[in-house]
Amino acid sequence: MLELKNIGWTASDGEEILRNISLEIPEGKMTVITGPNGGGKTSLAKLIAGLITPTEGQILLDGQDITRWDMTERARHGIGYAFQQPVKFKGLTVRDLLEISAEGALNREQVCHYLGEVGLCAEEYIDRVVDASLSGGEGKRIEIATVLARKNVKVRVFDEPEAGIDLWSFTNLIDVFQRLKNQKNEALLVISHQERILDIADKIIVVADGHVRTAGDKEVILPRLLAQDKAARCPREEERSCAG
Protein backbone atom coordinates (compact mmCIF):
# COMPACT_ATOMS: atom_id res chain seq x y z
CA MET A 1 0.00 0.00 0.00
CA LEU A 2 1.09 3.54 -0.77
CA GLU A 3 0.47 6.11 1.94
CA LEU A 4 0.96 9.87 1.97
CA LYS A 5 1.15 11.63 5.32
CA ASN A 6 0.73 15.40 5.65
CA ILE A 7 2.37 16.04 2.30
CA GLY A 8 3.14 19.59 1.27
CA TRP A 9 5.05 20.96 -1.69
CA THR A 10 6.18 24.50 -2.47
CA ALA A 11 7.47 25.32 -5.96
CA SER A 12 10.84 26.98 -6.53
CA ASP A 13 9.13 30.35 -7.00
CA GLY A 14 7.69 30.12 -3.49
CA GLU A 15 4.14 29.23 -4.50
CA GLU A 16 2.53 26.61 -2.25
CA ILE A 17 1.09 23.98 -4.61
CA LEU A 18 0.13 21.19 -2.19
CA ARG A 19 -0.57 21.31 1.51
CA ASN A 20 -1.40 18.82 4.25
CA ILE A 21 -2.35 15.95 1.94
CA SER A 22 -2.92 12.60 3.62
CA LEU A 23 -4.30 9.64 1.68
CA GLU A 24 -3.95 5.91 1.08
CA ILE A 25 -3.72 4.04 -2.23
CA PRO A 26 -4.70 0.44 -1.39
CA GLU A 27 -3.69 -2.74 -3.18
CA GLY A 28 -6.18 -4.61 -5.31
CA LYS A 29 -8.20 -1.48 -6.02
CA MET A 30 -8.35 1.35 -8.52
CA THR A 31 -8.06 4.84 -7.08
CA VAL A 32 -8.83 7.86 -9.26
CA ILE A 33 -7.66 11.36 -8.36
CA THR A 34 -9.76 14.06 -10.00
CA GLY A 35 -10.50 17.74 -9.57
CA PRO A 36 -10.26 21.09 -11.37
CA ASN A 37 -7.32 22.02 -13.58
CA GLY A 38 -4.52 23.64 -11.62
CA GLY A 39 -5.63 22.01 -8.39
CA GLY A 40 -2.42 20.04 -7.87
CA LYS A 41 -3.25 16.60 -9.30
CA THR A 42 -0.24 16.27 -11.61
CA SER A 43 2.09 17.67 -8.94
CA LEU A 44 0.80 14.97 -6.62
CA ALA A 45 1.46 12.28 -9.25
CA LYS A 46 5.01 13.60 -9.72
CA LEU A 47 5.60 13.48 -5.96
CA ILE A 48 4.51 9.85 -5.91
CA ALA A 49 6.74 8.99 -8.87
CA GLY A 50 9.76 10.77 -7.39
CA LEU A 51 10.08 13.50 -10.01
CA ILE A 52 9.81 16.12 -7.28
CA THR A 53 10.40 15.90 -3.53
CA PRO A 54 7.84 17.08 -0.97
CA THR A 55 8.64 20.10 1.15
CA GLU A 56 7.09 18.38 4.13
CA GLY A 57 5.43 15.10 5.06
CA GLN A 58 6.15 11.45 4.30
CA ILE A 59 5.52 8.97 1.49
CA LEU A 60 5.41 5.32 2.58
CA LEU A 61 5.42 2.21 0.39
CA ASP A 62 4.40 -0.89 2.34
CA GLY A 63 5.42 0.97 5.50
CA GLN A 64 8.86 1.96 4.19
CA ASP A 65 9.71 5.66 4.01
CA ILE A 66 10.51 6.49 0.37
CA THR A 67 10.12 10.27 0.68
CA ARG A 68 13.72 11.05 -0.38
CA TRP A 69 14.04 8.34 -3.01
CA ASP A 70 14.43 9.52 -6.61
CA MET A 71 12.41 8.21 -9.53
CA THR A 72 14.93 5.46 -10.39
CA GLU A 73 14.93 4.09 -6.86
CA ARG A 74 11.14 4.14 -6.67
CA ALA A 75 10.85 2.41 -10.03
CA ARG A 76 13.26 -0.25 -8.82
CA HIS A 77 11.00 -0.88 -5.82
CA GLY A 78 7.78 -1.11 -7.81
CA ILE A 79 6.36 2.29 -8.73
CA GLY A 80 5.50 2.57 -12.42
CA TYR A 81 4.60 5.98 -13.82
CA ALA A 82 3.16 7.08 -17.17
CA PHE A 83 3.90 10.73 -17.87
CA GLN A 84 1.12 13.11 -18.88
CA GLN A 85 3.47 14.36 -21.61
CA PRO A 86 5.54 11.38 -22.83
CA VAL A 87 9.32 11.74 -22.94
CA LYS A 88 11.13 11.29 -26.27
CA PHE A 89 14.14 8.96 -26.42
CA LYS A 90 16.28 9.59 -29.48
CA GLY A 91 17.96 6.42 -30.70
CA LEU A 92 15.72 3.98 -28.80
CA THR A 93 13.10 1.94 -30.60
CA VAL A 94 9.69 1.06 -29.20
CA ARG A 95 10.92 -2.49 -28.61
CA ASP A 96 14.00 -1.18 -26.75
CA LEU A 97 11.81 0.91 -24.49
CA LEU A 98 9.45 -1.95 -23.70
CA GLU A 99 12.37 -4.26 -22.90
CA ILE A 100 13.96 -1.64 -20.63
CA SER A 101 10.66 -1.35 -18.81
CA ALA A 102 10.25 -5.13 -18.58
CA GLU A 103 13.90 -5.46 -17.47
CA GLY A 104 14.57 -8.21 -19.96
CA ALA A 105 14.18 -9.40 -23.54
CA LEU A 106 10.68 -9.69 -24.96
CA ASN A 107 9.70 -11.96 -27.81
CA ARG A 108 7.62 -10.65 -30.68
CA GLU A 109 4.40 -12.06 -29.23
CA GLN A 110 4.94 -10.21 -25.94
CA VAL A 111 5.71 -6.92 -27.71
CA CYS A 112 2.58 -7.37 -29.84
CA HIS A 113 0.55 -7.98 -26.68
CA TYR A 114 1.63 -4.76 -24.91
CA LEU A 115 1.24 -2.63 -28.03
CA GLY A 116 -2.11 -4.22 -28.81
CA GLU A 117 -3.33 -3.29 -25.34
CA VAL A 118 -3.00 0.37 -26.29
CA GLY A 119 -4.29 0.05 -29.83
CA LEU A 120 -1.04 0.01 -31.79
CA CYS A 121 -0.04 -2.47 -34.50
CA ALA A 122 3.28 -4.07 -33.56
CA GLU A 123 4.29 -4.51 -37.21
CA GLU A 124 4.19 -0.74 -37.66
CA TYR A 125 5.70 0.31 -34.34
CA ILE A 126 8.05 -2.35 -33.00
CA ASP A 127 11.09 -0.82 -34.76
CA ARG A 128 9.98 2.81 -34.69
CA VAL A 129 12.35 5.20 -32.95
CA VAL A 130 10.81 6.94 -29.94
CA ASP A 131 11.51 10.47 -31.08
CA ALA A 132 9.74 13.55 -32.43
CA SER A 133 8.50 11.59 -35.46
CA LEU A 134 5.80 10.09 -33.22
CA SER A 135 2.59 12.04 -32.76
CA GLY A 136 1.48 13.05 -29.27
CA GLY A 137 -1.15 10.30 -29.24
CA GLU A 138 1.32 7.65 -30.40
CA GLY A 139 3.83 8.68 -27.76
CA LYS A 140 1.12 8.58 -25.10
CA ARG A 141 0.06 5.06 -26.00
CA ILE A 142 3.65 3.80 -26.09
CA GLU A 143 4.23 5.38 -22.68
CA ILE A 144 1.23 3.51 -21.28
CA ALA A 145 2.48 0.28 -22.86
CA THR A 146 5.81 0.63 -21.03
CA VAL A 147 3.99 0.82 -17.70
CA LEU A 148 1.95 -2.26 -18.63
CA ALA A 149 5.20 -4.08 -19.46
CA ARG A 150 6.69 -3.48 -16.02
CA LYS A 151 7.22 -6.56 -13.86
CA ASN A 152 6.90 -6.79 -10.07
CA VAL A 153 4.99 -3.53 -9.87
CA LYS A 154 3.40 -2.44 -6.60
CA VAL A 155 1.84 0.82 -7.78
CA ARG A 156 0.96 1.78 -11.37
CA VAL A 157 0.39 5.53 -11.82
CA PHE A 158 -1.28 6.92 -14.95
CA ASP A 159 -1.49 10.71 -15.34
CA GLU A 160 -4.46 11.58 -17.59
CA PRO A 161 -4.04 8.47 -19.78
CA GLU A 162 -6.97 9.50 -21.98
CA ALA A 163 -5.18 12.59 -23.31
CA GLY A 164 -4.39 12.38 -27.02
CA ILE A 165 -5.76 8.91 -27.72
CA ASP A 166 -8.65 7.97 -30.00
CA LEU A 167 -12.00 6.58 -28.87
CA TRP A 168 -11.19 2.96 -29.79
CA SER A 169 -7.93 3.04 -27.84
CA PHE A 170 -9.66 4.73 -24.91
CA THR A 171 -12.28 1.98 -24.79
CA ASN A 172 -9.50 -0.61 -24.88
CA LEU A 173 -7.72 1.25 -22.07
CA ILE A 174 -10.85 1.02 -19.92
CA ASP A 175 -10.72 -2.76 -20.35
CA VAL A 176 -7.03 -2.75 -19.37
CA PHE A 177 -7.80 -0.81 -16.19
CA GLN A 178 -10.62 -3.22 -15.37
CA ARG A 179 -8.10 -6.06 -15.42
CA LEU A 180 -5.32 -4.20 -13.60
CA LYS A 181 -7.48 -3.04 -10.72
CA ASN A 182 -8.09 -6.62 -9.61
CA GLN A 183 -4.39 -7.45 -9.19
CA LYS A 184 -4.16 -8.42 -5.52
CA ASN A 185 -0.59 -7.24 -4.94
CA GLU A 186 -0.83 -4.04 -6.98
CA ALA A 187 -2.36 -0.63 -6.51
CA LEU A 188 -3.73 1.24 -9.52
CA LEU A 189 -3.75 5.04 -9.39
CA VAL A 190 -5.19 7.12 -12.25
CA ILE A 191 -5.36 10.91 -12.58
CA SER A 192 -8.40 11.69 -14.72
CA HIS A 193 -11.46 13.84 -15.41
CA GLN A 194 -13.13 11.23 -17.57
CA GLU A 195 -16.48 9.98 -16.28
CA ARG A 196 -15.94 6.51 -17.78
CA ILE A 197 -12.71 6.16 -15.82
CA LEU A 198 -14.31 7.52 -12.66
CA ASP A 199 -17.15 5.04 -13.13
CA ILE A 200 -14.85 1.99 -12.87
CA ALA A 201 -12.92 3.33 -9.86
CA ASP A 202 -13.16 1.77 -6.44
CA LYS A 203 -12.13 4.96 -4.67
CA ILE A 204 -12.24 8.61 -5.78
CA ILE A 205 -10.13 11.42 -4.33
CA VAL A 206 -10.95 15.02 -5.26
CA VAL A 207 -7.97 17.39 -5.13
CA ALA A 208 -8.58 21.12 -5.45
CA ASP A 209 -6.66 24.22 -4.42
CA GLY A 210 -3.75 22.06 -3.33
CA HIS A 211 -5.54 19.88 -0.82
CA VAL A 212 -7.89 16.89 -0.63
CA ARG A 213 -11.40 18.25 -0.81
CA THR A 214 -13.11 14.89 -0.39
CA ALA A 215 -12.36 11.17 -0.70
CA GLY A 216 -14.29 7.95 -0.46
CA ASP A 217 -15.89 5.04 -2.28
CA LYS A 218 -16.97 5.64 -5.89
CA GLU A 219 -20.61 4.93 -5.03
CA VAL A 220 -20.61 7.89 -2.64
CA ILE A 221 -18.33 10.41 -4.38
CA LEU A 222 -19.26 10.04 -8.08
CA PRO A 223 -22.97 10.95 -7.72
CA ARG A 224 -21.94 14.11 -5.89
CA LEU A 225 -19.47 15.05 -8.63
CA LEU A 226 -22.04 14.45 -11.37
CA ALA A 227 -24.62 16.54 -9.51
CA GLN A 228 -22.11 19.37 -9.08
CA ASP A 229 -21.19 19.20 -12.75
CA LYS A 230 -24.84 19.37 -13.80
CA ALA A 231 -25.46 22.33 -11.52
CA ALA A 232 -22.44 24.14 -12.94
CA ARG A 233 -23.69 23.62 -16.50
CA CYS A 234 -27.25 24.61 -15.67
CA PRO A 235 -27.67 28.37 -15.13
CA ARG A 236 -30.10 29.24 -12.38
CA GLU A 237 -32.51 30.89 -14.79
CA GLU A 238 -32.66 27.68 -16.87
CA GLU A 239 -32.93 25.39 -13.89
CA ARG A 240 -36.45 24.30 -14.71
CA SER A 241 -35.60 23.24 -18.27
CA CYS A 242 -32.35 21.53 -17.22
CA ALA A 243 -34.08 19.56 -14.46
CA GLY A 244 -35.56 17.23 -17.01
Side-chain angles (χ1 to χ4, degrees), residues 31-34 41-42 44-45 84 157-162 189-193 197:
T31 301
V32 176
I33 296 179
T34 192
K41 303 184 302 300
T42 290
L44 189 57
Q84 186 182 61
V157 184
F158 296 88
D159 190 1
E160 297 196 13
E162 69 274 11
L189 175 62
V190 182
I191 314 295
S192 181
H193 296 284
I197 290 180

Side-chain angles (χ1 to χ4, degrees), residues 94-95 98 106-126 138 140-149 165-177 179:
V94 171
R95 182 174 199 151
L98 288 171
L106 297 173
N107 60 40
R108 197 171 191 85
E109 183 179 353
Q110 290 171 312
V111 173
C112 288
H113 168 73
Y114 293 124
L115 291 178
E117 291 278 62
V118 295
L120 295 177
C121 174
E123 294 300 325
E124 296 179 14
Y125 287 92
I126 191 170
E138 289 170 327
K140 184 73 172 183
R141 283 183 278 181
I142 291 166
E143 176 82 12
I144 293 170
T146 64
V147 177
L148 298 179
I165 65 174
D166 59 78
L167 181 60
W168 186 90
S169 297
F170 177 67
T171 300
N172 206 43
L173 187 61
I174 294 291
D175 293 338
V176 171
F177 287 159
R179 293 194 295 273

Side-chain angles (χ1 to χ4, degrees), residues 8-92:
W9 180 64
T10 300
S12 57
D13 62 2
E15 181 183 2
E16 185 181 42
I17 306 299
L18 299 171
R19 60 184 184 278
N20 197 33
I21 288 185
S22 295
L23 53 86
E24 294 181 353
I25 310 298
E27 296 175 349
K29 294 185 181 297
M30 177 176 173
T31 301
V32 176
I33 296 179
T34 192
N37 291 330
K41 303 184 302 300
T42 290
S43 295
L44 189 57
K46 289 179 178 179
L47 280 169
I48 291 170
L51 289 167
I52 55 179
T53 303
T55 309
E56 58 186 29
Q58 284 183 301
I59 301 175
L60 305 176
L61 180 62
D62 293 338
Q64 184 173 9
D65 191 337
I66 65 170
T67 310
R68 302 299 162 187
W69 290 6
D70 62 18
M71 187 178 188
T72 301
E73 188 70 10
R74 293 188 195 193
R76 189 177 296 123
H77 284 79
I79 295 183
Y81 176 71
F83 290 85
Q84 186 182 61
Q85 298 296 329
V87 179
K88 305 297 184 183
F89 297 91
K90 186 176 181 179
L92 287 179

